[in-house]
Amino acid sequence: MIDSHVHLNATQFDTIVDETIKKSMAAGVNAFICIGYDAVTNMKAIAISETYDNVYCTIGFHPEVAKMVTEADLLSLEEMLKHPKVVGIGECGLDYYWDKSAIEEQKFVFKSQIELANKLNLPLIIHMRDSAFDTLEMIKNYKAKSTSGIMHCYSGSAQMVTDFVNENLYISVAGPVTFKNAVTPKEVAKVIPIERLLIETDAPYLAPMPYRGKQNTPEYLPYTLAEIARIREMDKDLLDQITEANTIRLFQLNRNK
Ligand code: NI
């Protein structure tokens, strides 16, 4: 298994990165994509990826910090993207649940990162919350078709899965798929084309059942994999192989940058 989206750079992991990676590997997670979301966590993501062979990272600006992002920040992001362990841009996107007053700033910062992804041919890690139509519209308007990416912890409808897949994007499923009353996430997990399906924890957030409400860790990724296998009525090991191959292909983990 590869955890395609984990915040080992979040303060919750500050003193336990080493132990978390070891325990997760014992649970079958053999690589990690550590996701940055602001200036500080971008630098931490790079530092962690430099320490561990099996940790890669992505860097970018989350919509929650869009108001604070300057031109200089975007220029330094472009420079940092050249680092050999940086395999993508984000997380970035639109979050209307968090702050409806900053929609213009969010759109500007998202658009800038889409343009960087086009320019450098790196995948985008897209965060979308209560913003499905605007997010899809921005992707259609600004993303080059050849630029790939991930709808991370996808919370949209099953119907819209096709719209994002048609834009050359992968769909990532996280812990909420294991929640009992999660009707839409379970429906979504069923309809994603298998060659576009990824799994993630988004740890330290969104722990799967039976740890719902506790601090999440990549060690819990097998619970999400098992639930998706159950929903799709397929063999767990086969699903593991396919989602891992998808992650390697998307992030080009085999290349020498
Ligand atoms: Ni995240």
Side-chain angles (χ1 to χ4, degrees):
M1 275 165 281
I2 300 176
D3 192 344
S4 72
H5 190 114
V6 53
H7 302 289
L8 291 166
N9 48 352
T11 48
Q12 287 92 330
F13 288 114
D14 270 353
T15 57
I16 54 167
V17 171
D18 210 64
E19 150 189 359
T20 301
I21 288 176
K22 279 193 191 123
K23 282 187 182 166
S24 304
M25 287 174 73
V29 183
N30 40 48
F32 309 80
I33 315 291
C34 179
I35 312 289
Y37 45 92
D38 60 14
V40 172
T41 58
N42 288 339
M43 286 198 297
K44 280 170 84 176
I46 291 177
I48 296 168
S49 73
E50 283 172 341
T51 309
Y52 301 92
D53 278 350
N54 59 352
V55 178
Y56 300 84
C57 70
T58 73
I59 56 175
F61 295 103
H62 193 282
E64 283 183 20
V65 299
K67 266 186 192 167
M68 277 112 69
V69 175
T70 63
E71 285 291 336
D73 288 331
L74 291 167
L75 282 173
S76 90
L77 179 69
E78 182 166 0
E79 211 39 52
M80 288 161 72
L81 285 164
K82 294 174 185 159
H83 189 284
K85 293 298 284 287
V86 176
V87 294
I89 301 182
E91 50 186 293
C92 54
L94 301 175
D95 190 327
Y96 295 173
Y97 176 86
W98 172 256
D99 188 357
K100 276 206 157 179
S101 73
I103 289 180
E104 284 321 305
E105 288 93 336
Q106 288 192 29
K107 285 187 172 171
F108 174 76
V109 172
F110 185 29
K111 176 171 178 261
S112 305
Q113 291 175 95
I114 295 174
E115 287 166 350
L116 267 180
N118 294 338
K119 182 174 169 186
L120 303 173
N121 192 27
L122 283 167
L124 286 159
I125 289 75
I126 300 172
H127 169 103
M128 170 180 95
R129 194 164 179 203
D130 292 354
S131 61
F133 292 101
D134 281 9
T135 304
L136 180 61
E137 188 181 79
M138 290 204 52
I139 290 166
K140 282 189 166 158
N141 287 345
Y142 302 117
K143 191 182 75 56
K145 206 73 179 188
S146 58
T147 304
S148 191
I150 301 174
M151 297 308 296
H152 123 76
C153 188
Y154 179 76
S155 60
S157 67
Q159 289 82 347
M160 281 186 87
V161 164
T162 316
D163 295 313
F164 292 106
V165 165
N166 287 342
E167 296 304 318
N168 195 21
L169 297 170
Y170 288 66
I171 312 287
S172 180
V173 176
V177 74
T178 65
F179 300 169
K180 272 221 168 60
N181 299 322
V183 178
T184 302
K186 288 184 201 295
E187 210 180 306
V188 163
K190 205 172 200 164
V191 302
I192 299 167
I194 190 99
E195 70 283 358
R196 294 297 184 88
L197 172 63
L198 300 182
I199 56 171
E200 66 169 281
T201 60
D202 203 15
Y205 315 108
L206 297 171
M209 293 293 282
Y211 301 103
R212 186 175 184 176
K214 303 229 168 71
Q215 184 174 312
N216 198 5
T217 155
E219 196 184 340
Y220 299 158
L221 188 58
Y223 294 95
T224 296
L225 178 86
E227 176 62 7
I228 301 170
R230 190 192 66 79
I231 291 167
R232 297 182 72 112
E233 297 177 45
M234 70 181 286
D235 180 69
K236 230 185 340 185
D237 293 334
L238 179 63
L239 181 65
D240 176 18
Q241 277 171 33
I242 295 171
T243 52
E244 186 164 316
N246 291 346
T247 311
I248 292 169
R249 184 187 333 115
L250 169 71
F251 286 112
Q252 299 183 59
L253 298 184
N254 293 330
R255 85 186 141 170
N256 276 321
K257 194 176 168 187

